[in-house]
Amino acid sequence: MIDRLHHVGIVVHSADDALGFYRDIMGLEVAVDEVVEEQGVRGVLLPLGENEIELLEPVQPDTGVARYLETRGQTLHHFCFSTDDIRTELARVRDLGIELIDQEPRYGLAGEIAFLHPRSMHGVLVELAQPRPDAHHSDAKGIDHLAVRVADYEAAKARWNEVVGVEESNRFDVEAAEIIIGQFPISQTVIELIAPASPDAPLAKIIEEQREGAFPVAAVEVADLDTEIARYRAAGLDVPDAEVGTLPGTRRSTISAEQSFGLGIQLLEYV
Ligand code: CO
């Protein structure tokens, strides 16, 4: 089975520069830092509770990751989910008719890995990983939630259910924004599917222009939002004042993706 979000992968120009944020300011530790020659990337894994942030820096031109960086700039690349049996999962997913990028598991930074095609996952590049036996392990909460924009809520819900095994735990109709937000927990992380409430909603136009896909933001729960905002400001970052969150009982602020190397970090406080 698929049991948790393993990591969020982001493509960066320089892993060293990105470490200046993720390690030196955010305070994460480096668990793995190596060059995977056949993929032409330097990969760095930084545990964040039970999840990780994966930095991918192309070290050769003309690889998939290098082209991604060239066309889209530093940004979110993929979500990776962990399983204890990647061969069984890959066969199961193939039998569902999901388009695979990797027909067989291969060596990757996170263990034995395989990618599913984003065409089959409403625009999200999904990696499955069977972690190395000696991999970092934590039971602490890491990423609170990730958000994906989808055109057809019911179709996306069914697909995420059959592939990743997640089920809707809550659904909010946010009338002011004309969106539907569905929450799909996996271990301590929630995948949010966000869909336009009607064909005329602003999000429907955004999806027409930018397609379906993941928002390049990861939300991390903090105990004291004001303390965190002050801490990041003291490190020289431009962090907005706290505001009321979209979902009830939350306050938030966000470190922009421009400052955190392609992945916005939303600081989220439950009040
Ligand atoms: Co990855």
Side-chain angles (χ1 to χ4, degrees):
M1 66 177 289
I2 294 172
D3 56 6
R4 73 187 151 95
L5 175 76
H6 187 276
H7 64 261
V8 173
I10 62 180
V11 176
V12 298
H13 289 292
S14 160
D16 285 332
D17 288 351
L19 285 170
F21 173 76
Y22 287 100
R23 180 191 58 203
D24 302 340
I25 297 178
M26 201 169 168
L28 306 181
E29 286 178 16
V30 173
V32 177
D33 184 347
E34 67 177 53
V35 172
V36 182
E37 292 291 352
E38 69 266 28
Q39 289 161 50
V41 296
R42 173 185 170 194
V44 181
L45 286 172
L46 302 111
L48 172 56
E50 66 172 8
N51 317 121
E52 304 185 3
I53 303 277
E54 181 180 69
L55 307 176
L56 295 168
E57 175 193 329
V59 294
Q60 290 163 30
D62 296 326
T63 62
V65 171
R67 282 189 293 274
Y68 193 93
L69 181 63
E70 246 169 60
T71 45
R72 307 199 195 195
Q74 302 194 111
T75 191
L76 176 70
H77 186 256
H78 64 271
F79 294 169
C80 178
F81 296 94
S82 76
T83 170
D84 57 3
D85 184 351
I86 194 164
R87 281 170 181 76
T88 299
E89 285 303 320
L90 205 55
R92 183 186 65 79
V93 169
R94 183 190 293 115
D95 288 348
L96 291 170
I98 301 300
E99 197 177 336
L100 307 180
I101 292 176
D102 297 300
Q103 300 303 318
E104 297 295 332
R106 58 183 168 86
Y107 176 82
L109 211 59
E112 283 190 279
I113 61 113
F115 282 92
L116 317 184
H117 202 287
R119 266 197 295 269
S120 285
M121 291 302 295
H122 293 265
V124 180
L125 178 58
V126 169
E127 178 185 16
L128 301 178
Q130 182 174 332
R132 305 174 186 186
D134 62 344
H136 135 87
H137 181 77
S138 166
D139 290 323
K141 181 174 173 180
I143 293 172
D144 180 272
H145 68 268
L146 297 165
V148 179
R149 59 175 180 272
V150 298
D152 179 337
Y153 182 78
E154 292 301 329
K157 171 182 163 176
R159 181 50 55 88
W160 275 84
N161 174 260
E162 65 178 354
V163 175
V164 183
V166 289
E167 293 187 29
E168 181 192 82
S169 63
N170 281 300
R171 179 183 152 154
F172 301 89
D173 292 274
V174 185
E175 284 173 24
E178 297 177 62
I179 55 174
I180 298 161
I181 303 179
Q183 296 186 311
F184 297 79
I186 180 161
S187 190
Q188 297 173 87
T189 304
V190 172
I191 305 298
E192 289 185 353
L193 300 182
I194 304 182
S198 78
D200 303 323
L203 181 60
K205 301 202 168 44
I206 291 171
I207 290 173
E208 257 172 47
E209 287 160 14
Q210 304 176 19
R211 301 189 197 177
E212 295 182 301
F215 289 101
V217 180
V220 178
E221 184 182 346
V222 296
D224 183 339
L225 180 59
D226 297 313
T227 301
E228 288 297 306
I229 290 172
R231 185 171 81 78
Y232 284 106
R233 284 178 177 168
L237 298 184
D238 183 11
V239 186
D241 288 336
E243 61 175 1
V244 173
T246 308
L247 297 183
T250 60
R251 296 169 73 228
R252 69 181 179 198
S253 180
T254 303
I255 300 167
S256 67
E258 289 72 27
Q259 298 179 95
S260 41
F261 297 83
L263 182 71
I265 303 294
Q266 184 187 109
L267 307 169
L268 184 68
E269 181 187 270
Y270 287 93
V271 292

